[in-house]
């Protein structure tokens, strides 16, 4: 089995096979993750769509349609796939696009899937093209065609697969080929969370971590979490450490402000990379418009990191504008950074 595949059994609610771990699959992140839609906060329309699809599939005793989840990192795509597997009482098999280097990697997994199993591919837009082509017949007709030998001796053998459910997650739906995109029956984009939703998530996580957090502390932390539960939970742990060491242990607005200042996170949740990105547009390119490649080169950052991680929240906050001729810093960015236009 490929080293990057992690398989869960929902009956045992544990890990069946694990050789390699990925950031958000282990440690406390797992314990903070909601395990049912009842516990899940936010993404109301997506959750409702999925609950209906799951209930209908169960009533008809059928598998779910393939599901594509799109949105910035940390909004719950992986969490939702775990919940789907739990609610369907099926196994969850997890891998990612870059881990599927060869056709054989994918075929190995597909041929081991059971009826109704949930096959989660994170970063599905990064599957190599030759591997992706095996997915089309697998998703549509639950078959794969093996080709043996070459030239005049070439023979094809059709292998029947079980009716699995593919859950694809992507930060860049535009990079998915249309044959792949069209084979998903359910397509949902996850949105950033509101401050109110993050407050509820933070209080729930604080409870699990046995940490006391004040109402003001929770709302200050929520404001600085970039609309993202994964960031809220990660920062909660930094703030918890700080409060334990530097004050009486309880998390308050003051301890959130002081500890996040140390982390370089400002009042709106912008990180030093966010501020560098905005200052690059403003100082080097006179506010823009400027192409993303030029910004990436100046910052010595990967373009993908800027597009996937940095820009979505800055766009949502109205700090940066995307125009046909490139990125522009908005008035709000100048004001926030206390710079003159
Ligand atoms: N922890 C992380 N994401 C969450 C969510 N959407 N609801 C509840 N707790 C969470």
């Amino acid at each position: 089995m490929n080293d990057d595949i992690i398989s869960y059994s929902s009956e045992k609610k544990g890990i069946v096979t694990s050789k390699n771990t990925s950031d958000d699959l282990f440690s406390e992140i797992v314990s903070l993750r909601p395990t049912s839609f009842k516990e899940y906060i936010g993404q109301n329309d997506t959750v409702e769509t999925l609950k209906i699809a799951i209930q209908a599939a169960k009533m008809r005793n059928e598998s779910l349609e393939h599901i594509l989840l799109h949105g910035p990192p940390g909004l719950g795509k992986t969490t939702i796939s775990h919940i789907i597997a739990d609610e369907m009482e099926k196994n969850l098999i997890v891998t990612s696009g870059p881990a599927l280097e060869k056709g054989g990697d994918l075929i190995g997994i597909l041929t081991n899937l059971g009826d109704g199993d949930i096959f989660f591919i994170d970063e599905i837009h990064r599957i190599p093209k030759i591997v992706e082509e095996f997915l089309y017949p697998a998703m549509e007709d639950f078959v794969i065609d093996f080709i043996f030998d070459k030239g005049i001796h070439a023979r094809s053998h059709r292998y029947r697969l079980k009716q699995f459910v593919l859950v694809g997650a992507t930060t860049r739906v535009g990079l998915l080929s249309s044959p792949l995109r069209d084979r998903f029956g359910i397509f949902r984009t996850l949105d950033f969370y509101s401050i109110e939703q993050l407050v509820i998530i933070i209080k729930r996580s604080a409870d699990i971590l046995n940490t006391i957090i004040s109402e003001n502390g929770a709302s200050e932390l929520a404001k600085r979490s970039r609309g993202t539960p994964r960031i809220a939970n990660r920062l909660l742990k930094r703030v918890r450490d700080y409060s334990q060491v530097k004050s009486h242990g309880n998390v308050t607005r003051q301890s959130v402000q002081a500890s996040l200042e140390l982390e370089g996170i400002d009042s709106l949740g912008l990180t030093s990379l966010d501020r560098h990105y905005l200052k690059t547009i403003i100082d080097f390119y006179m506010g823009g418009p400027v192409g993303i490649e030029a910004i990436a080169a100046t910052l010595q950052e990967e373009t993908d990191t800027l597009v996937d991680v940095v820009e979505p929240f800055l766009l949502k906050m109205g700090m940066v504008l995307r125009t046909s001729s490139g990125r522009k810093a908005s008035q709000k960015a100048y004001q926030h950074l206390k710079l003159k236009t």
Side-chain angles (χ1 to χ4, degrees), residues 134-194:
F134 283 103
L135 265 183
Y136 305 154
M139 290 173 75
E140 191 137 309
D141 302 317
F142 301 100
V143 294
I144 30 181
D145 293 312
F146 291 100
I147 311 285
F148 299 100
D149 292 340
K150 287 191 183 137
I152 55 163
H153 299 296
R155 285 164 296 129
S156 155
H157 176 70
R158 184 155 261 215
Y159 187 93
R160 270 224 156 267
L161 300 169
K162 297 278 169 29
Q163 280 228 359
F164 66 97
V165 179
L166 181 64
V167 179
T170 181
T171 50
R172 303 275 284 280
V173 78
L175 294 186
L176 247 61
S177 68
S178 52
L180 182 56
R181 221 175 34 229
D182 293 348
R183 284 172 168 79
F184 289 96
I186 299 174
F187 169 45
R188 302 296 314 193
T189 295
L190 304 190
D191 304 321
F192 285 109
Y193 291 66
S194 68

Side-chain angles (χ1 to χ4, degrees), residues 29 31-43 47 74-76 79-80 83 193 197-198 200-202 204-205 208 228-230 232-233:
I29 301 275
S31 64
L32 298 181
R33 179 180 273 164
T35 53
S36 69
F37 283 130
K38 265 197 220 89
E39 292 176 70
Y40 195 95
I41 316 289
Q43 311 298 348
V47 167
L75 298 188
T79 302
I80 288 175
I83 296 177
Y193 291 66
Q197 290 168 340
L198 287 173
I200 301 172
I201 291 171
I202 288 165
R204 175 183 175 274
S205 300
I208 296 170
T228 308
R230 186 189 294 161
N233 284 336

Side-chain angles (χ1 to χ4, degrees), residues 322-338:
R322 269 170 84 161
T323 69
S324 54
S325 42
R327 275 67 168 170
K328 282 179 74 172
S330 71
Q331 278 297 329
K332 205 172 163 190
Y334 283 86
Q335 277 163 15
H336 182 65
L337 298 173
K338 301 192 172 55

